[in-house]
Amino acid sequence: MGRRLENLEQFGIDVVLERRHGVRASILRGILYALSFVYDRVVQLRLYFYRKRIFRERALGVLVISVGNLTVGGTGKTPIVEKIARALQTGGRRVAILSRGYKSVPRKRSLLSRLYKGEADPPRIVSDGASLLLDSRTAGDEPYMLAHNLKNVIVLVDKDRVKSGLLAIEKWKVDTLLLDDGLQYLHLKHRLDIVLVDRQAPFGNEFLLPRGTLREAPRNLRRASYIFITKNTGEPNDALVKRIRRYNRTAEIIECAYKCRWKVYVILSSARSAPSPRRKALKPHWQSSVRVSIWPRVTLIIITIPKRS
């Protein structure tokens, strides 16, 4: 059953990205294209309701910065969030990162416990600023990475960012909330919206979900305070900047590039196995290591070593 679902999911992805051809794929693309119009109207109606205050935003009395994008998939949000958190911390801010924990697995609570307490699950504390408290499976890969790399920064996971924000303010007295993938989270009032645009595929395949990879239409870039063009190669971005300016004439546009600073080694380990010779050889040069549980008694050890220039 699991394999069948995986094959169906892959077929859907291939249809959306136009890697599948034929009558069946063409019909499915037509259906998805029609649904994308409905999806766009729902998105715009939701934004209209928030603008007209029919749906109310919550203001928590602290600085709230959102980092997000218009497309599904990676645009490099996690390194940007980390960089911003470090800069805010250097400036004397007490920072908490709020994530929804994409693909994370919450800890199970019995039905009796839920009924007895009569409340939803509390936010998961990935880091309290001093210690890493959850593994990558429970926290999600990105929150776990942020918590591992950032000291004295609170990292919380919950779909309800208002709830996790309140916890961060009450328990740790934070004065800045950083929303990882927060552009579409409108229930919490943002002071600044930082939107990332992938230079290699700025607006996905130009279609909205479910026909394409856009979560919002490009015109919604008008909500951005700052726009980061990520994954730059050094080539000019004149055409992309010109298009961005059609949607937003005032936001500052910042071009970003990622530079490899580390060599990364991945070693498979189990509870019963002795340290491998390769692991022993790398030990004197370790900058850091992260253990990621992928199966009971089986762990991936990810080792980083400074890259020589």
Side-chain angles (χ1 to χ4, degrees), residues 192-206:
L192 295 173
D193 272 305
I194 298 172
V195 180
L196 276 54
V197 176
D198 184 347
R199 182 191 184 278
Q200 299 171 13
F203 304 108
N205 62 352
E206 300 288 343

Side-chain angles (χ1 to χ4, degrees), residues 163-184:
K163 182 171 66 175
S164 56
L166 285 170
L167 175 65
I169 294 166
E170 292 169 3
K171 188 169 183 177
W172 292 284
K173 311 301 180 188
V174 304
D175 56 20
T176 306
L177 299 176
L178 195 52
L179 305 188
D180 182 15
D181 197 15
L183 181 64
Q184 286 78 32

Side-chain angles (χ1 to χ4, degrees), residues 97-148:
I97 297 173
L98 310 182
S99 173
R100 66 190 174 104
Y102 178 64
K103 287 190 176 179
S104 62
V105 180
R107 288 175 174 170
K108 291 183 179 179
R109 290 172 59 193
S110 67
L111 180 61
L112 184 62
S113 172
R114 289 173 183 269
L115 291 174
Y116 176 71
K117 291 189 176 182
E119 59 183 19
D121 291 333
R124 280 166 275 162
I125 305 171
V126 186
S127 172
D128 60 2
S131 305
L132 190 58
L133 303 175
L134 297 179
D135 59 22
S136 60
R137 184 170 181 269
T138 310
D141 293 336
E142 289 84 0
Y144 180 83
M145 184 186 301
L146 290 167
H148 178 269

Side-chain angles (χ1 to χ4, degrees), residues 69-77 100 102 181 198 213 215 231:
N69 59 354
L70 296 180
T71 60
V72 297
T75 53
K77 286 188 297 293
R100 66 190 174 104
Y102 178 64
D181 197 15
D198 184 347
T213 55
R215 291 193 273 187
K231 303 181 185 179

